[in-house]
Amino acid sequence: MYACTSYAQIRVQERLSEGETSFVLTTPELQAKIYYDVNDELVIKKSAELFAFDVERVTGRKPELIQKRERANFLVIVGTIEKNKWIQELAQKGKIDIRPLQGAWERYLIQTIDKPYPGVDKALVIAGSDRRGAAYGLFSISEMIGVSPWYWWADVPIKKHEALYIDASATYSKTPSVKYRGIFLNDEDWGLKPWAAKTFEEERGNIGPRTYAKICELLLRLKANHLAPAMHPVSTAFYRIPENKLVADTFAIVMGSSHCEPLLLNTASEWHSETMGPWDYNANKNKINEILSNRVKEICTYENVYTLALRGLHDAAMGGGNVPMKEKVKMLESALKDQRNLIAQHINKPVETIPQAFTPYKEVLDIYSNGLELPEDVTIIWADDNFGYMKRLSGPQEQKRAGRAGVYYHLSYLGVPHSYLWFSTTPPALMYEELRKAYDTTADCIWLANCGDLKGSEVQVSFFLDMAYDIEQFNEKNVHTYPARWLAKMFGEQYYNTLEDITCSHINLAFSRKPEYMGWGYWNNYWGGGEKRTDTEFSFTNYEEAGKRLAEYRRIGKKAEDMLVTLEEAARPALYQLLYYPVKGAELMNRMNMTGQLYRQYVRQKRAAANNLKSEVECCHDSLEVITDRYNSLLNGKWKYMMSLRQNYDGSSSYFMLPLMEECYMPAGDPKLAVQAESEQLDRGGFSCHVLPTFNTYSRKSHWIDIYNQGGGKLAWKSVASDEWIVLSCQSGITFTEDRIWVSIDWDKVPVGEKVTGGIEFSTGMQKERVFVSVFNPMVPARDELQGLFVEENGYVSLPATDFHRKFESNDIKMHILPGLGFEGSALQIGSPTAPLQMYRSGEVPRVEYDFYTFNAGIVDVYTYVLPTFPLHAERDYKLPEHTNSDTKYSVRIDDGSISTPSTSAIEYSQIWYDSVLKNCRVNKSTLYVKAPGKHTLQIRCGDPGTVIQKIVIDMGGLKRSYLGPESTLYR
């Protein structure tokens, strides 16, 4: 067996199997010919030609293409059931059954036929219900023989074979889950456009038909059918180059446009105010409609999805804030009516049968929500909030619309609070969670992904389009491993475990903070010099948070590098682009910014090691430039100018710049001893003594102490513990800079008691520093009594959401574990997002419960870390008079106490929304009450089904500042 497919009835092999369905595609002695009907669709000829090249790529032998009947031992017949005469004859003779294809959308049949005609021993028939169906069938065989859809765009290696045999009994493809499936090329200023202009289409100096031909071929191979072309002012507008639309039609790609381009007019670069007047519908309606009419007339003979829209130029609102909402609704209704009339004027079909889309994006959603009347047949394209969370979906009444719905989803974005344009790290688990609920509420007509430059978003684009083609092949349990399976298919199944380890960790690390956000400042400082580089919120002093993140990045970066050097030479460019560069780039970006933060801390502490950190920061910065240059130099410069660290307009983002290291510290004089104990946050004005976090017999953790030199020369230090139960990883040392030692407790020797104390004295010469040690080792409760409970640790309790003790479900509400989401690597979803709203105050409401044990009591703060999702739609049953459609609800309760009702949602562009989308988490504080020390139960109760809980932290008074919150305190 050489390759496999999702269709068990089709096998591609290197040896001929016995049976009526076996077929010789090519051997050194025998080659099949490829037949297509000359009167069939253009894409059939194009697909046949590309398939012949695919066979040649694999075997070195190119099959002959024929357009008339002739003798052949083995013949591939490809075409549509409408226009391929041989396919029609085979159906009439009963050799193939095309009834399932008749009237179907983009389906195909693959079947081997014995002696189909005189002079032909065997035929491999690929019959399409329509032009794309036939092409999909042929390219599915291309993929089975080893030619990836990404063979050109990602240089995926093609394994060579001497012979190819196909064994295919009658196999029918499914109707695609989503009718129109495609991508929007956007924010092309820093990659796709300069690459096309300076490398790939130098003769045109911009994105043109050669680039679009490669994009359309990729889409067809990915079983997609829809494209919204690049539309920034730096790019030549798609329709300004007449060949572009011919190219798209040759590949059977349905053209569309973004949310702000009415009737496929690129207003950013095709509207010229100096000759056409203002882009203002109220002031210049006739001219606007004239230009739009010309566009429809120009393109109406091709297959399009027509965007109905009226926004300002590019991505801005039309009209000022002084226009009353009623007037905005009236104006937009009038404009959409005019656009519909233009479509009807130029296309001789009932207007309601012509694909039309309306996207209520940004301010247009407010207009739609204020009573805009939209024709029933128009598809509503619901948009995410630009950061992966669907803002609104179809309610019960909207689900009855003939035009149904679609989605516009961002895998890349330019805008506030921060752009992410470098490479996509959107988790497949998040994409599935959001897009599945969209699909389940009738968003099955159009799916459009904003993929930026395309390069850097390869895996997310594939996943998006694979879901759109067949969403039922995915579920919450398998989506998080999609990147590893996708890569293993390209580089070999023997690498799967390595790839799963790297990709799952890479996606999880970027989930909490994308590499582009590591400069930490907000992007929306329009008048203040752009993004302000600051410290990150990852803590170097609390919970080992920053150190563990950097260590994990180093680990997977090294693992990706090791895999790169072990691959054969031909496969390395693809792995460099698809795995090594994003993983190593993320590692270096995190190390650069976080080490810059640590450097500033070291300078404040006057550590002799500060300059070493400065050198590491500069090395990371230079290494980012080096690996980016290597990317652009791959394959003799094929991708030159494609990859850039400097994404976004000048003066906006600064994450790629050297962190601020304006102050410095130069150690001088004799060595000088200083120490820092774990969790010491303040350099000045805090405690006048050093104290480690309390050692707890139920967790039995170790804690660290840094011994560092503030002066010049070698620091020779030694330590003395006050008691034998204090165990040090190292008792003495000599360092020019710093040593970190770990302190643990010998629990067999430490006295029993709640306030056991000791200390460690560090010295060098006459200099001494003392660190106090506290141990909590009570007689009761016994350790065995608390096994399986979450136990208070240094004044907090931390509970991963998936580690609940009990769940209470109903027929409507089931609990789901979502691997690949959340700070902890998996998250808990309370019910399906499309289930009925629940009465979160009810005693019998579906819920999960966590048992925890405290040594303290009183008022506590319960922090719930949730996915920042929006209400499902605007037609919800309130359940309570206090409930609204503007936010979601879930509830939190300890024992039989008060119920707190936080929300997962926030108003877009509010500060809490800014903070939530940047960390893929909204952190809600509920102030509740613990009556007495001892065992308690925390409840997370259903309100809005689909709420996703990542973790819960109970602050008993000892919680320290951090970004991710402390690790689990479950005593196992």
Side-chain angles (χ1 to χ4, degrees):
M1 176 75 66
Y2 157 56
C4 63
T5 179
S6 58
Y7 303 112
Q9 302 97 317
I10 303 174
R11 293 184 299 165
V12 175
Q13 305 169 104
E14 286 187 282
R15 294 182 180 179
L16 183 64
S17 61
E18 296 182 2
E20 294 183 357
T21 58
S22 59
F23 179 84
V24 176
L25 185 56
T26 180
T27 71
E29 298 79 24
L30 194 62
Q31 291 87 42
K33 297 178 181 180
I34 302 172
Y35 167 80
Y36 64 90
D37 195 309
V38 70
N39 295 313
D40 215 329
E41 304 283 353
L42 278 175
V43 72
I44 306 302
K45 176 185 177 184
K46 176 61 72 175
S47 300
E49 291 170 346
L50 289 170
F51 179 73
F53 281 118
D54 289 346
V55 174
E56 183 179 26
R57 291 181 181 103
V58 174
T59 66
R61 297 180 296 275
K62 183 180 177 184
E64 180 185 353
L65 295 170
I66 60 174
Q67 297 87 41
K68 60 183 180 180
R69 303 190 185 202
E70 57 183 70
R71 298 181 64 86
N73 296 106
F74 296 91
L75 185 65
V76 177
I77 302 173
V78 58
T80 64
I81 61 173
E82 295 271 331
K83 295 187 176 181
N84 188 297
K85 295 288 182 15
W86 272 19
I87 289 175
Q88 292 171 354
E89 288 180 18
L90 286 170
Q92 290 166 3
K93 293 177 181 178
K95 290 185 175 288
I96 61 172
D97 184 0
I98 63 172
R99 288 174 297 176
L101 305 182
Q102 291 171 340
W105 179 263
E106 296 181 345
R107 294 189 66 191
Y108 60 84
L109 162 68
I110 299 177
Q111 184 177 348
T112 302
I113 305 296
D114 199 34
K115 299 189 182 304
Y117 307 105
V120 178
D121 292 337
K122 282 193 176 180
L124 177 66
V125 179
I126 300 97
S129 63
D130 49 33
R131 58 179 184 160
R132 283 186 292 275
Y136 295 161
L138 196 57
F139 283 132
S140 70
I141 297 176
S142 285
E143 199 165 355
M144 281 186 271
I145 67 174
V147 180
S148 166
W150 294 94
Y151 80 95
W152 193 89
W153 276 102
D155 307 297
V156 175
I158 298 171
K159 190 175 180 180
K160 305 297 182 183
H161 292 273
E162 273 295 303
L164 292 173
Y165 301 91
I166 296 175
D167 193 343
S169 57
T171 303
Y172 297 90
S173 69
K174 296 165 62 175
T175 301
S177 299
V178 178
K179 188 170 186 179
Y180 296 105
R181 313 166 300 281
I183 60 173
F184 169 32
L185 301 169
N186 195 24
D187 307 318
E188 66 275 14
D189 310 45
W190 303 277
L192 188 63
K193 189 269 179 181
W195 167 79
K198 300 177 184 179
T199 302
F200 191 62
E201 288 195 83
E202 290 182 271
E203 72 282 1
R204 194 170 291 277
N206 214 302
I207 302 171
R210 289 183 60 216
T211 302
Y212 281 117
K214 289 296 185 183
I215 291 169
C216 290
E217 179 190 340
L218 172 69
L219 291 175
L220 197 63
R221 288 178 180 269
L222 289 171
K223 297 184 177 67
N225 59 12
H226 188 38
L227 175 64
M231 47 74 71
H232 272 214
V234 298
S235 301
T236 304
F238 184 83
Y239 290 105
R240 283 180 58 192
I241 303 175
E243 301 97 308
N244 282 342
K245 59 181 179 290
L246 300 176
V247 165
D249 190 58
T250 299
F251 288 93
I253 298 301
V254 183
M255 292 306 299
S257 60
S258 69
H259 50 83
C260 56
E261 299 173 89
L263 302 185
L264 285 62
L265 179 76
N266 183 342
T267 59
S269 59
E270 291 188 282
W271 184 266
H272 305 292
S273 299
E274 62 276 10
T275 58
M276 299 175 180
W279 179 258
D280 185 325
Y281 185 77
N282 283 332
N284 198 17
K285 170 182 175 179
N286 291 338
K287 190 63 178 180
I288 288 175
N289 285 337
E290 175 191 334
I291 299 299
L292 293 178
S293 177
N294 291 338
R295 173 50 45 84
V296 178
K297 181 179 179 181
E298 174 190 359
I299 65 176
C300 63
T301 57
Y302 300 93
E303 196 176 1
N304 304 299
V305 172
Y306 291 91
T307 300
L308 303 181
L310 187 68
R311 298 191 67 209
L313 294 177
H314 200 166
D315 188 8
M318 176 172 283
N322 58 345
V323 179
M325 180 57 71
K326 287 185 178 179
E327 293 301 314
K328 290 181 181 180
V329 172
K330 182 179 177 182
M331 178 177 68
L332 184 53
E333 282 181 352
S334 177
L336 300 187
K337 183 179 179 180
D338 285 347
Q339 291 168 27
R340 295 259 292 178
N341 289 338
L342 293 174
I343 294 171
Q345 176 184 331
H346 293 289
I347 302 176
N348 188 26
K349 293 180 182 178
V351 70
E352 62 273 11
T353 66
I354 300 167
Q356 298 156 67
F358 170 76
T359 305
Y361 181 65
K362 291 185 177 178
E363 82 287 345
V364 182
L365 180 58
D366 289 335
I367 298 175
Y368 173 78
S369 300
N370 274 274
L372 179 77
E373 292 188 9
L374 196 65
E376 280 289 305
D377 58 278
V378 174
T379 301
I380 301 176
I381 308 293
W382 299 112
D384 70 335
D385 64 349
N386 306 314
F387 289 84
Y389 299 94
M390 299 305 300
K391 287 181 62 178
R392 176 174 162 182
L393 296 169
S394 297
Q397 295 306 310
E398 290 161 327
Q399 291 175 29
K400 299 175 183 177
R401 293 175 51 82
R404 298 179 74 80
V407 295
Y408 170 47
Y409 196 80
H410 287 79
L411 306 174
S412 172
Y413 182 61
L414 170 65
V416 297
H418 204 292
S419 304
Y420 56 102
L421 302 169
W422 190 17
F423 47 76
S424 182
T425 50
T426 302
L430 175 63
M431 295 171 63
Y432 179 79
E433 188 275 330
E434 291 295 292
L435 293 168
R436 178 75 214 206
K437 68 185 179 187
Y439 180 81
D440 289 341
T441 52
T442 71
D444 58 5
C445 191
I446 303 170
W447 278 23
L448 187 66
N450 183 330
C451 66
D453 290 316
L454 179 60
K455 292 292 290 176
S457 299
E458 293 94 339
V459 66
Q460 282 78 9
V461 165
S462 281
F463 180 59
F464 181 89
L465 295 175
D466 281 352
M467 270 200 299
Y469 185 74
D470 180 12
I471 200 168
E472 300 303 336
Q473 67 180 303
F474 298 105
N475 58 60
E476 62 206 20
K477 302 298 183 185
N478 68 15
V479 291
H480 71 293
T481 58
Y482 178 91
R485 288 182 279 117
W486 186 76
L487 289 166
K489 188 176 180 181
M490 298 174 179
F491 300 105
E493 293 299 327
Q494 68 271 27
Y495 293 109
Y496 175 78
N497 290 337
T498 296
L499 291 166
E500 181 182 356
D501 179 26
I502 295 171
T503 56
C504 287
S505 178
H506 171 60
I507 292 293
N508 178 253
L509 289 165
F511 174 83
S512 59
R513 198 75 181 187
K514 289 183 182 293
E516 296 93 331
Y517 305 165
M518 288 306 298
W520 223 262
Y522 291 113
W523 180 75
N524 57 345
N525 293 288
Y526 297 110
W527 299 278
E531 179 181 6
K532 304 299 182 184
R533 286 165 285 167
T534 70
D535 283 1
T536 78
E537 293 176 55
F538 291 106
S539 176
F540 279 96
T541 58
N542 299 320
Y543 313 126
E544 302 173 55
E545 183 177 66
K548 286 183 176 178
R549 181 178 179 87
L550 291 177
E552 181 63 7
Y553 261 127
R554 286 180 185 273
R555 186 186 72 82
I556 63 172
K558 178 65 165 59
K559 208 164 185 178
E561 191 168 354
D562 290 345
M563 183 175 172
L564 182 68
V565 298
T566 61
L567 281 181
E568 59 185 27
E569 190 70 30
R572 290 178 189 172
L575 191 80
Y576 194 97
Q577 297 166 62
L578 299 174
L579 183 74
Y580 175 79
Y581 183 79
V583 171
K584 194 67 178 178
E587 176 206 333
L588 292 168
M589 189 65 71
N590 275 263
R591 284 174 54 196
M592 180 180 76
N593 283 286
M594 294 175 71
T595 306
Q597 168 186 338
L598 190 60
Y599 169 80
R600 293 187 289 272
Q601 174 189 316
Y602 274 28
V603 168
R604 292 192 300 271
Q605 294 175 326
K606 299 182 179 179
R607 293 201 189 199
N611 285 329
N612 292 349
L613 295 186
K614 186 174 185 178
S615 297
E616 182 181 345
V617 171
E618 291 169 344
C619 180
C620 289
H621 176 269
D622 293 345
S623 296
L624 280 166
E625 296 284 356
V626 169
I627 66 168
T628 303
D629 288 344
R630 283 182 62 192
Y631 186 112
N632 291 321
S633 300
L634 292 169
L635 301 169
N636 298 315
K638 176 181 176 179
W639 300 113
K640 191 175 183 180
Y641 302 111
M642 176 62 83
M643 188 54 65
S644 173
L645 289 168
R646 293 163 177 79
Q647 306 278 351
N648 208 335
Y649 299 113
D650 291 344
S652 298
S653 294
S654 60
Y655 62 91
F656 52 83
M657 297 180 183
L658 269 173
L660 296 177
M661 296 185 290
E662 297 162 338
E663 298 181 359
C664 62
Y665 176 68
M666 297 299 296
D670 295 331
K672 184 178 180 182
L673 173 70
V675 301
Q676 180 185 7
E678 182 179 338
S679 292
E680 284 186 355
Q681 189 74 38
L682 301 176
D683 301 319
R684 302 171 65 191
F687 288 112
S688 56
C689 59
H690 303 290
V691 182
L692 281 168
T694 298
F695 292 86
N696 185 319
T697 188
Y698 304 102
S699 63
R700 299 194 171 184
K701 293 181 177 179
S702 298
H703 298 290
W704 55 262
I705 300 172
D706 280 349
I707 302 111
Y708 60 92
N709 187 4
Q710 290 183 320
K714 290 189 288 188
L715 175 72
W717 61 271
K718 61 182 180 179
S719 63
V720 178
S722 63
D723 299 275
E724 63 177 348
W725 46 264
I726 300 175
V727 181
L728 308 181
S729 63
C730 183
Q731 286 79 34
S732 63
I734 299 174
T735 179
F736 285 97
T737 54
E738 60 188 356
D739 286 329
R740 172 165 288 188
I741 69 166
W742 289 88
V743 183
S744 57
I745 302 300
D746 187 333
W747 294 101
D748 292 328
K749 295 179 179 179
V750 67
V752 173
E754 296 189 5
K755 296 184 178 180
V756 181
T757 60
I760 309 163
E761 185 175 270
F762 296 92
S763 64
T764 177
M766 299 299 293
Q767 302 173 48
K768 295 183 178 173
E769 292 281 354
R770 184 173 179 82
V771 177
F772 290 95
V773 175
S774 299
V775 178
F776 184 65
N777 188 30
M779 177 79 71
V780 292
R783 296 184 75 228
D784 289 349
E785 293 178 41
L786 302 191
Q787 192 164 6
L789 303 182
F790 293 95
V791 179
E792 181 183 346
E793 165 88 15
N794 276 284
Y796 65 85
V797 184
S798 184
L799 312 89
T802 56
D803 288 345
F804 51 82
H805 288 93
R806 289 169 298 282
K807 60 180 179 179
F808 297 86
E809 300 176 320
S810 67
N811 291 334
D812 290 327
I813 304 298
K814 306 295 182 184
M815 306 299 164
H816 306 281
I817 305 298
L818 307 182
L821 266 187
F823 288 180
E824 304 293 314
S826 61
L828 172 69
Q829 186 175 54
I830 304 178
S832 165
T834 58
L837 282 175
Q838 301 296 299
M839 180 69 79
Y840 52 82
R841 293 179 181 175
S842 167
E844 301 304 315
V845 70
R847 64 193 182 278
V848 288
E849 294 184 347
Y850 306 81
D851 295 333
F852 66 100
Y853 194 96
T854 70
F855 306 105
N856 298 281
I859 291 293
V860 299
D861 290 328
V862 180
Y863 294 94
T864 43
Y865 295 60
V866 298
L867 216 59
T869 52
F870 289 85
L872 186 67
H873 53 73
E875 301 174 25
R876 302 184 306 158
D877 178 1
Y878 290 159
K879 289 296 180 185
L880 289 170
E882 298 89 349
H883 208 158
T884 72
N885 276 334
S886 62
D887 64 355
T888 62
K889 283 283 191 294
Y890 63 99
S891 61
V892 184
R893 189 182 198 185
I894 293 177
D895 299 331
D896 59 353
S898 300
I899 296 174
S900 174
T901 56
S903 176
T904 67
S905 59
I907 297 173
E908 193 176 17
Y909 303 114
S910 65
Q911 187 63 47
I912 192 168
W913 175 80
Y914 279 180
D915 293 334
S916 298
V917 296
L918 289 178
K919 68 190 300 183
N920 278 309
C921 181
R922 175 167 170 172
V923 182
N924 293 314
K925 184 177 83 169
S926 299
T927 301
L928 300 174
Y929 184 61
V930 171
K931 291 181 181 179
K935 183 180 175 182
H936 301 277
T937 298
L938 173 76
Q939 300 177 2
I940 303 294
R941 303 150 58 86
C942 187
D944 280 70
T947 294
V948 178
I949 313 291
Q950 302 184 39
K951 67 188 293 181
I952 308 104
V953 177
I954 304 172
D955 182 12
M956 308 292 299
L959 187 65
K960 300 288 187 179
R961 185 181 188 89
S962 69
Y963 184 69
L964 302 173
E967 292 182 326
S968 173
T969 59
L970 180 65
Y971 173 42
R972 299 184 185 277

